[in-house]
Amino acid sequence: MIDQLLSEDQKAIDEVLTGFATREMRDHAAAAEAEGRTPPVVAGRLHELGVTAPLPASVGGAGPIAAPDYLLCVQRLAWGDPGMAYDAVVSGLPAVVVGRLGTAAQHTRLLGAAQDTPARGSLLVLEGHGRSPSEYRTTVRAAGEDVVVTGRKLAVLRADSADLVLLAARDDTGRLRLFALDGLPEGAVVVSPGEDADRSLGLRAAPTRTVILDDVRIPAAAELSAAPAQVEAALALVRLTTAALALGAGRAAIEYASTYATERIAFGKPIASYQGVAFLLAEAAMSHAASHGAVLDLARLLDESPAPQDLEQRTTDVVVRACGRAVDQTRAAVQVLGGHGYIADHPVERWYRDAMTLAALDHDPLVSAFRAP
């Protein structure tokens, strides 16, 4: 798939990451899912790339990366494998947000050692499928030099072993506030899935848990004291990473199914020559291009405008469409492969499950069915 929306620099980034994803991720994808973790050798090489947790220059990093370039990196890593990409990207997102909103002192305290080892961050942000930031129910109230947080966070990666945690909560005025902590706060409860619980549908290389905060005290100084518009923009970027991950899964599936369709012979000719297959793949490719363009456009806006109008609703629309279309694209790939699409010998069934899981992280797929395509 030739991307006409990318600049020459972005095409160079895409080429480098395509090579990395092909060499370092695809061969390990099945094992990562079976073991429920990213192999350490892959995690180390992802860290060496420096794109999943770009650090400020003040702590030895290369400085912030433009939002479109960052999301392009996310998308291409997900093309390699959505599960390992999710693990690496979400682990690095707290550092990305601290780098954008934190003070110099917070950079030094929270990010100073991040150059040496792979990021082990965690997001205490999501609260329910279909719930946007304006609907978050986790509360925060002042208590002397501390604040007290009460709420429930879902889909928390590395809940009990993170070394940098980003927490979102609302105060009694309704203002959304972000806190950066050097680990899960004392008193937070990580809900055990239970010995008999089924494994998640997808993203099995990055297992997540639920965290309950019941009057948990954290230092007030842990707040990223940015303007409300900056907080909203940071959360929009966090949400757009989900869309970028889904786009990567969709693109991988379309390309794989297209290659399969040109090689699979039925009734004396490739199945790609039949309209039922060709139209299905063409529609999937067009929907991917539309979502890809929408994600990059909104990412550019985040860099250009400190307070884009209706940012939350615009972000929701982009994420809903990108994730919903990725589900359709990966489902189409499974259909092109026929019975082979449902067996683990081909990766499309894994990409389909990963896309379904990503679609459920930020929004309710049933709600998206009532939105404009």
Side-chain angles (χ1 to χ4, degrees):
M1 297 172 66
I2 300 175
D3 197 333
Q4 304 295 339
L5 298 175
L6 304 184
S7 67
E8 291 304 314
D9 288 344
Q10 288 173 330
K11 289 178 181 178
I13 292 172
D14 188 64
E15 182 178 353
V16 169
L17 291 180
T18 297
F20 175 88
T22 302
R23 294 189 311 271
E24 308 291 350
M25 299 181 73
R26 290 206 163 181
D27 288 346
H28 294 274
E33 177 172 78
E35 296 173 8
R37 64 167 189 157
T38 300
V41 64
V42 179
R45 289 169 182 164
L46 279 165
H47 172 67
E48 291 170 3
L49 276 178
V51 298
T52 57
L55 299 175
S58 60
V59 293
I65 184 173
D69 295 349
Y70 172 70
L71 293 173
L72 176 65
C73 294
V74 172
Q75 182 180 162
R76 183 49 83 176
L77 292 177
W79 175 88
D81 179 66
M84 286 188 285
Y86 182 84
D87 185 30
V89 169
V90 173
S91 294
L93 267 172
V96 172
V97 175
V98 171
R100 285 174 169 254
L101 303 186
T103 63
Q106 288 172 324
H107 289 173
T108 300
R109 181 173 63 83
L110 297 169
L111 305 178
Q115 283 280 77
D116 302 326
T117 59
R120 297 185 59 83
S122 187
L123 296 175
L124 294 182
V125 174
L126 297 175
E127 297 193 8
H129 312 318
R131 190 170 294 163
S132 299
S134 63
E135 301 169 298
Y136 290 168
R137 297 175 182 172
T138 298
T139 61
V140 57
R141 68 179 190 276
E145 295 184 353
D146 295 334
V147 294
V148 177
V149 182
T150 299
R152 182 184 183 94
K153 297 295 186 179
L154 306 181
V156 179
L157 178 69
R158 199 172 285 106
D160 51 5
S161 62
D163 53 22
L164 179 58
V165 172
L166 184 70
L167 169 66
R170 288 194 172 276
D171 61 23
D172 54 7
T173 70
R175 177 186 171 188
L176 190 62
R177 297 164 65 179
L178 291 177
F179 299 84
L181 309 163
D182 54 1
L184 197 69
E186 183 177 355
V189 176
V190 180
V191 178
S192 172
E195 294 182 1
D196 298 327
D198 292 334
R199 299 171 68 190
S200 63
L201 176 67
L203 304 179
R204 292 179 178 174
T208 60
R209 308 279 283 278
T210 296
V211 172
I212 297 175
L213 305 141
D214 188 5
D215 286 344
V216 171
R217 299 178 74 94
I218 62 175
E223 183 173 8
L224 300 175
S225 300
Q230 292 176 300
V231 171
E232 187 179 3
L235 283 175
L237 181 62
V238 169
R239 299 179 69 198
L240 284 175
T241 59
T242 301
L245 288 162
L247 284 170
R251 178 170 179 168
I254 294 167
E255 292 179 353
Y256 191 95
S258 297
T259 299
Y260 179 90
T262 61
E263 298 173 349
R264 175 75 167 89
I265 305 299
F267 303 105
K269 56 183 180 179
I271 62 173
S273 63
Y274 296 103
Q275 288 185 353
V277 173
F279 287 3
L280 192 64
L281 290 171
E283 183 178 0
M286 288 189 294
S287 72
H288 179 277
S291 292
H292 176 55
V295 168
L296 291 185
D297 283 346
L298 186 53
R300 293 187 189 100
L301 187 62
L302 290 179
D303 282 348
E304 294 170 359
S305 174
Q309 188 175 9
D310 298 326
L311 178 58
E312 180 178 305
Q313 186 58 57
R314 295 171 74 169
T315 304
T316 296
D317 289 342
V318 169
V319 173
V320 165
R321 286 175 171 82
C323 290
R325 286 168 174 168
V327 171
D328 293 340
Q329 293 150 16
T330 52
R331 183 191 299 117
V334 170
Q335 292 173 333
V336 168
L337 268 68
H340 290 166
Y342 293 92
I343 60 177
D345 291 352
H346 295 276
V348 291
E349 63 85 25
R350 183 172 67 249
W351 294 329
Y352 181 32
R353 290 187 285 104
D354 289 342
M356 288 288 288
T357 302
L358 286 164
L361 287 177
D362 187 88
H363 75 280
D364 187 340
L366 293 178
V367 173
S368 69
F370 296 96
R371 292 183 180 272

